[in-house]
């Protein structure tokens, strides 16, 4: 079992294809592909987000509080089997700084833990500490699977700073049924085929070369939550459906 801890700023941008292609001409000068981008290829990320029966966590997140937190289960396999490795993550945002802590286990172990609070034996002190955080979260909130989100990602890290990362996501797909990682990715896409969601992940300041390029290409930061966007579209869909029902009565 492994544990990873992250604390950084995450700044998001929604790019059109012209902006994306122009930026990608410069990226290799200053950044290297992530180790999972073998041969420059993208990789899949598959998530199940957990929430309360009344969707309290995402509703609270969308209100943009100073402090918010969420829990999700992540896999890099689709479909995933019981013995495949998954990551159970607790993610907190405090005044713009994102802290993410996660433990690694099998999908079968994650089901046991999330359903019955039966956790695998931790092999490190820090892993036990993260489980304490997860236990506290699950004791405070009665959660269940509420949202599936997957996407295809290309990632890079700085040649002079490994903590500086940029990711580009496309084909961001959501569904609110069949909430399991054991099924293939399917659902509705929440950004256009000609768009890319870029995230700059940095512990200090954005490099000057990137600031200048963003300004040149008129790329501006935006507030974009994948889970939040999916939830908003779900609500809008329900509102439109109810309007249709009333109109036909």
């Amino acid at each position: 079992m492994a544990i990873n801890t992250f604390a950084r700023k995450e700044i998001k941008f929604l790019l059109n294809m012209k902006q994306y292609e122009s930026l990608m001409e410069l990226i290799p000068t200053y950044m290297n592909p992530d180790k999972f981008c073998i041969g420059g290829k993208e990789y899949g990320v598959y998530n199940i987000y957990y929430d309360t029966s009344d969707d309290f966590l995402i509703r609270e997140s969308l209100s943009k509080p100073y402090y918010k937190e969420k829990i999700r289960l992540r896999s890099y396999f689709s479909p995933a089997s019981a013995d495949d490795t998954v990551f159970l993550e607790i993610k907190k945002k405090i005044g713009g700084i994102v802290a993410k802590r996660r433990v690694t286990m099998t999908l079968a172990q994650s089901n046991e833990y999330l359903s019955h609070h039966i956790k695998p034996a931790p092999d490190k002190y820090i892993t036990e500490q993260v489980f304490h955080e997860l236990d506290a979260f699950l004791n405070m909130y009665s959660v269940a699977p509420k949202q599936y989100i997957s996407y295809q990602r290309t990632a890079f890290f700085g040649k002079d700073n490994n903590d500086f990362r940029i990711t580009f996501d496309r084909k961001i797909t959501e569904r609110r049924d069949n909430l399991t990682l054991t099924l293939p990715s399917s659902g509705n896409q929440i950004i256009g085929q000609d768009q890319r969601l870029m995230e700059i992940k940095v512990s200090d300041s954005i490099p000057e070369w990137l600031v200048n390029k963003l300004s040149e290409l008129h790329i501006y930061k935006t507030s974009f939550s994948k889970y939040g966007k999916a939830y908003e579209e779900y609500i809008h869909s329900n509102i439109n459906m109810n309007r249709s029902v009333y109109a036909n009565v």
Side-chain angles (χ1 to χ4, degrees):
M1 187 184 304
I3 190 295
N4 297 102
T5 302
F6 308 92
R8 61 198 180 194
K9 291 179 284 186
E10 295 184 353
I11 309 165
K12 300 179 182 180
F13 308 80
L14 197 58
L15 281 56
N16 60 41
M17 283 305 296
K18 183 177 180 180
Q19 292 170 325
Y20 170 70
E21 290 170 353
S22 295
L23 184 56
M24 285 300 297
E25 292 176 0
L26 185 62
I27 290 290
T29 303
Y30 298 95
M31 308 191 78
N32 290 321
D34 185 277
K35 64 180 180 180
F36 298 109
C37 294
I38 301 173
K41 295 181 179 180
E42 60 190 9
Y43 58 91
V45 185
Y46 312 93
N47 307 277
I48 300 290
Y49 287 81
Y50 287 73
D51 211 327
T52 63
S53 60
D54 62 353
D55 300 308
F56 170 79
L57 294 172
I58 189 57
R59 290 189 292 105
E60 178 72 5
S61 176
L62 288 171
S63 72
K64 295 181 171 54
Y66 180 78
Y67 172 84
K68 58 184 178 182
E69 58 186 341
K70 60 186 174 184
I71 187 172
R72 69 187 175 201
L73 188 65
R74 170 169 290 185
S75 172
Y76 296 98
F77 301 96
S78 180
S81 66
D83 293 330
D84 280 332
T85 297
V86 296
F87 301 89
L88 183 58
E89 303 179 342
I90 183 166
K91 191 172 183 180
K92 305 177 182 182
K93 190 171 185 179
I94 308 169
I97 302 300
V98 175
K100 183 171 74 174
R101 300 190 9 119
R102 67 186 189 182
V103 290
T104 307
M105 60 185 83
T106 66
L107 181 58
Q109 288 173 329
S110 73
N111 291 336
E112 283 293 297
Y113 176 65
L114 289 164
S115 299
H116 308 293
H117 290 206
I118 300 173
K119 53 180 172 279
D123 57 2
K124 294 180 181 178
Y125 174 75
I126 187 65
T127 304
E128 187 172 357
Q129 291 300 107
V130 177
F131 270 122
H132 286 326
E133 289 188 39
L134 290 166
D135 286 341
F137 182 97
L138 295 175
N139 287 332
M140 179 175 295
Y141 304 107
S142 178
V143 297
K146 295 302 290 286
Q147 182 72 59
Y148 173 94
I149 292 180
S150 69
Y151 40 93
Q152 296 297 305
R153 167 166 286 182
T154 307
F156 302 87
F157 64 91
K159 291 182 177 180
D160 299 324
N161 180 3
N162 288 346
D163 291 332
F164 167 49
R165 297 186 71 232
I166 295 181
T167 61
F168 297 95
D169 297 335
R170 70 171 189 93
K171 201 177 179 181
I172 305 176
T173 304
E174 67 84 19
R175 66 177 185 243
R176 286 184 69 90
D177 56 1
N178 297 320
L179 297 175
T180 174
L181 295 174
T182 62
L183 294 176
S185 175
S186 66
N188 304 310
Q189 294 191 30
I190 59 176
I191 64 171
Q193 292 186 356
D194 61 344
Q195 292 180 307
R196 297 290 185 272
L197 179 65
M198 178 176 74
E199 293 187 44
I200 296 175
K201 308 178 184 190
V202 63
S203 57
D204 42 41
S205 59
I206 300 176
E208 184 178 1
W209 66 266
L210 182 54
V211 172
N212 292 337
K213 193 64 175 179
L214 295 178
S215 176
E216 174 191 328
L217 296 174
H218 303 287
I219 297 173
Y220 307 109
K221 68 178 181 179
T222 186
S223 176
F224 190 102
S225 161
K226 298 182 183 76
Y227 182 14
K229 177 67 172 176
Y231 179 73
E232 288 175 336
E233 294 203 355
Y234 163 72
I235 294 299
H236 292 159
S237 175
N238 281 350
I239 291 173
N240 291 333
M241 185 179 300
N242 289 336
R243 285 174 177 166
S244 178
V245 169
Y246 291 140
N248 292 323
V249 172

